[in-house]
């Protein structure tokens, strides 16, 4: 058995790895990815921690250039009709029944209630995020990094609530990725992430 303090660190590590995989490609991230057995080690960590068997074999892009192109087409560019991993897009813009904006209850808009809540959390924790995320604080990479932080540092009730409230839209994101079907990298990573989140929920029941 993994002791609880070690389990928290391991779970936080898993969520941090996933957070990095959804960020715009950098040579640093690519060099980690192309290291021998990196994805195999992620599989093993997930299996040991959550008893989830999942293969990432065959999803690694051929080179850094292809990795960049896949990111742009799959999750990084409006011009490519990419499927953006941003929470607000998958939920009604606001739950405020007094809001009179015509799109208040519609989906597909940025800076909705989820983004406002994440901004509040970031301000409370005095955490600054990179400039490219300022208008999209509920980007999946930020959400996963916050989840990792809470898993390791916050009471279990808080981390469980954060994951439940802010990572409950990934099934729809995965469905749209599968329709886009540019390359299996983000599709498989997202499928694995969903299984990890489900297992994390079960652990806390």
């Amino acid at each position: 058995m993994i002791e609880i303090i070690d389990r928290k660190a391991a779970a936080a590590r898993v969520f941090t790895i996933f957070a990095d995989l959804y960020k715009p490609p950098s040579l640093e991230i690519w060099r980690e990815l192309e290291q021998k057995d990196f994805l195999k080690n992620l599989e093993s960590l997930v299996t040991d921690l959550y008893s989830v068997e999942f293969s990432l074999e065959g999803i690694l892009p051929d080179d850094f250039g292809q990795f960049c192109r896949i990111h742009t087409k799959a999750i990084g560019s409006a011009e490519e009709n990419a499927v953006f991993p941003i929470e607000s897009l998958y939920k009604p813009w606001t739950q405020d029944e007094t809001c009179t904006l015509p799109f208040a209850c519609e989906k597909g808009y940025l800076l909705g209630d989820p983004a406002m809540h994440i901004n509040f959390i970031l301000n409370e924790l005095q955490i600054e995020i990179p400039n490219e995320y300022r208008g999209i604080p509920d980007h999946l990479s930020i959400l996963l990094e916050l989840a990792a932080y809470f898993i390791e540092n916050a009471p279990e009730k808080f981390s469980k609530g954060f994951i439940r409230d802010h990572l409950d839209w990934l099934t729809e994101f995965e469905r749209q990725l599968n329709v886009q079907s540019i390359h299996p990298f983000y599709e498989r990573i997202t499928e694995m992430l969903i299984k990890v989140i489900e297992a994390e929920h079960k652990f806390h029941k």
Side-chain angles (χ1 to χ4, degrees), residues 129-196:
I129 59 175
N131 286 332
E132 59 264 34
Y133 294 106
R134 290 290 170 85
I136 47 172
D138 51 340
H139 187 281
L140 184 53
S141 290
I142 302 299
L143 299 180
L144 291 171
E145 288 186 343
L146 280 173
Y149 176 83
F150 292 137
I151 286 170
E152 193 162 17
N153 299 289
E156 181 180 297
K157 181 179 179 181
F158 192 94
S159 60
K160 179 181 177 181
F162 180 86
I163 292 170
R164 180 194 64 233
D165 293 343
H166 286 285
L167 295 172
D168 59 346
W169 50 276
L170 292 177
T171 300
E172 175 60 18
F173 170 62
E174 180 195 21
R175 187 191 69 77
Q176 293 189 27
L177 268 182
N178 290 337
V179 171
Q180 184 81 332
S181 195
I182 298 300
H183 184 278
F185 181 80
Y186 289 107
E187 295 171 34
R188 296 291 287 164
I189 290 295
T190 301
E191 187 179 352
M192 187 183 197
L193 173 60
I194 289 171
K195 290 184 180 297
V196 164

Side-chain angles (χ1 to χ4, degrees), residues 44-87:
S44 297
L45 182 56
V46 167
T47 299
D48 292 344
L49 194 58
Y50 297 110
S51 299
V52 170
E53 297 283 348
F54 194 91
S55 174
L56 296 173
E57 185 175 357
I59 73 164
L60 187 67
D62 294 335
D63 52 41
F64 180 62
Q66 188 188 34
F67 186 31
C68 293
R69 291 191 295 274
I70 292 166
H71 178 274
T72 298
K73 290 179 178 292
I75 65 171
S77 171
E79 293 179 358
E80 299 285 350
N81 295 316
V83 182
F84 292 109
I86 301 169
E87 184 183 4

Side-chain angles (χ1 to χ4, degrees), residues 69-125:
R69 291 191 295 274
I70 292 166
H71 178 274
T72 298
K73 290 179 178 292
I75 65 171
S77 171
E79 293 179 358
E80 299 285 350
N81 295 316
V83 182
F84 292 109
I86 301 169
E87 184 183 4
S88 288
L89 297 177
Y90 301 88
K91 296 181 176 180
W93 190 71
T94 185
Q95 299 293 332
D96 183 358
E97 296 180 357
T98 66
C99 182
T100 58
L101 291 173
F103 57 85
C105 297
E106 296 181 13
K107 298 179 181 180
Y109 294 92
L110 296 174
L111 291 174
D113 284 351
M116 297 301 99
H117 186 227
I118 295 303
N119 269 334
F120 172 79
I121 291 173
L122 292 170
N123 287 335
E124 288 294 302
L125 295 175

